[in-house]
């Protein structure tokens, strides 16, 4: 089976940096993705890590350590519009193409 | 990338009835996925729909309750049958393109 853990809530102020951690236990692993979901909206893709290391996309970066079954999403220069839920998701085992989603982290950005 | 539309966007249904949700993708895809997201919760995969074969259901989801059709490579339907208030949720259609999963806007179902 597969299970993922994330903090349920994170609060930060505008302009700050926040890190959302994700640990996973899986029977197979191809990669770790991050999705953002605003209230009432659909999840949107942020990043994907298949290999160890840091991937940077603008203000957002994502990190993966396969040996530690751990990853994180780093959000810099926080803006009010970044207030949303963030989900990590594991790409399934060999032959599987579906993602298993973590419980989600609700980020609140304060002025 | 992929652009996905769903119909209806929301519906209110009576207990015991059924609702069929349609999902249309702007490109041909091998697999389409149906997720459920209950209020304030994460996404749970219901089933994977392949064109030309039976859908594959995840543990806890059965075909009698969630029948799925996949008549071609751009379209799928999910029916939620014999509705109960516990089925009130958002239902999302999804496809994967490369390493990215794209989601439709979702169907918000309320069962009275």
């Amino acid at each position: 089976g597969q299970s993922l853990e994330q903090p349920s809530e994170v609060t930060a102020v505008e302009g700050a940096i926040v890190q959302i951690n994700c640990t996973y236990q899986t029977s197979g692993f191809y990669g770790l993705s991050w999705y953002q979901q605003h209230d009432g909206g659909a999840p949107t893709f942020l990043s994907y890590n298949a290999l160890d290391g840091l991937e940077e996309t603008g203000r957002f970066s994502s990190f993966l350590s396969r040996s530690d079954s751990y990853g994180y999403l780093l959000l810099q220069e926080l803006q009010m519009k970044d207030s949303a839920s963030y989900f990590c998701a594991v790409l399934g085992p060999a032959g599987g193409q579906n993602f298993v989603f973590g419980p989600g982290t609700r980020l609140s950005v304060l002025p | 990338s992929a652009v996905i539309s769903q119909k209806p966007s929301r519906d209110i249904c009576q207990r015991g009835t059924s609702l069929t949700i349609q999902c249309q993708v702007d490109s041909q895809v091998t697999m389409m996925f149906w997720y459920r997201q209950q209020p304030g919760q994460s996404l749970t995969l219901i089933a994977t729909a392949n064109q030309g074969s039976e859908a594959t259901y995840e543990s806890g989801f059965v075909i009698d309750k969630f029948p799925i059709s996949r008549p071609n490579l751009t379209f799928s339907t999910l029916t939620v049958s014999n509705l109960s208030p516990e089925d009130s949720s958002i239902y999302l259609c999804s496809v994967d393109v490369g390493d990215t999963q794209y989601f439709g806007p979702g169907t918000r179902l309320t069962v009275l």
Side-chain angles (χ1 to χ4, degrees):
Chain A
Q2 294 161 304
S3 68
L4 296 90
E5 291 188 7
Q6 300 178 237
S8 58
E9 294 183 1
V10 173
T11 302
V13 297
E14 269 190 302
I17 299 173
V18 71
Q19 179 174 312
I20 299 174
N21 298 322
C22 174
T23 58
Y24 59 88
Q25 291 184 330
T26 63
S27 56
F29 179 84
Y30 274 76
L32 185 71
S33 290
W34 288 92
Y35 289 81
Q36 179 191 61
Q37 186 178 32
H38 287 98
D39 288 345
T44 57
F45 172 80
L46 292 177
S47 68
Y48 175 72
N49 294 67
L51 303 175
D52 287 357
L54 191 67
E55 295 278 345
E56 298 181 67
T57 308
R59 294 188 297 114
F60 294 178
S61 303
S62 58
F63 172 82
L64 175 65
S65 169
R66 295 170 69 115
S67 59
D68 295 323
S69 298
Y70 164 76
Y72 66 72
L73 179 69
L74 190 72
L75 299 87
Q76 303 182 70
E77 301 173 22
L78 281 174
Q79 302 175 9
M80 298 291 290
K81 68 178 182 179
D82 297 328
S83 293
S85 292
Y86 293 83
F87 296 91
C88 59
V90 172
L91 181 58
Q97 290 186 260
N98 59 285
F99 285 89
V100 176
F101 284 78
T105 298
R106 186 163 188 87
L107 171 63
S108 299
V109 180
L110 305 178
Chain B
S1 67
V3 177
I4 304 172
S5 60
Q6 285 184 235
K7 287 195 293 188
S9 59
R10 59 178 63 226
D11 207 343
I12 301 173
C13 299
Q14 296 295 322
R15 184 194 300 256
T17 63
S18 298
L19 176 70
T20 295
I21 303 167
Q22 299 179 11
C23 177
Q24 180 77 49
V25 188
D26 69 341
S27 58
Q28 294 185 339
V29 292
T30 304
M31 285 191 267
M32 296 176 76
F33 305 97
W34 287 99
Y35 285 85
R36 182 174 72 184
Q37 186 175 29
Q38 295 178 311
Q41 302 296 312
S42 186
L43 293 87
T44 301
L45 183 66
I46 297 171
T48 302
N50 294 317
Q51 194 270 335
S53 65
E54 292 286 330
T56 302
Y57 289 83
E58 298 299 305
S59 176
F61 298 96
V62 295
I63 187 171
D64 289 347
K65 176 68 175 177
F66 299 98
I68 287 171
S69 78
R70 183 78 201 275
N72 58 53
L73 291 173
T74 64
F75 186 80
S76 177
T77 68
L78 169 74
T79 298
V80 189
S81 304
N82 190 23
L83 289 168
S84 68
E86 292 72 34
D87 295 320
S88 296
S89 189
I90 297 173
Y91 293 85
L92 294 138
C93 171
S94 174
V95 302
D96 65 307
V97 178
D99 300 324
T100 301
Q101 198 153 15
Y102 295 90
F103 287 86
T107 296
R108 184 180 294 270
L109 169 62
T110 302
V111 182
L112 302 179

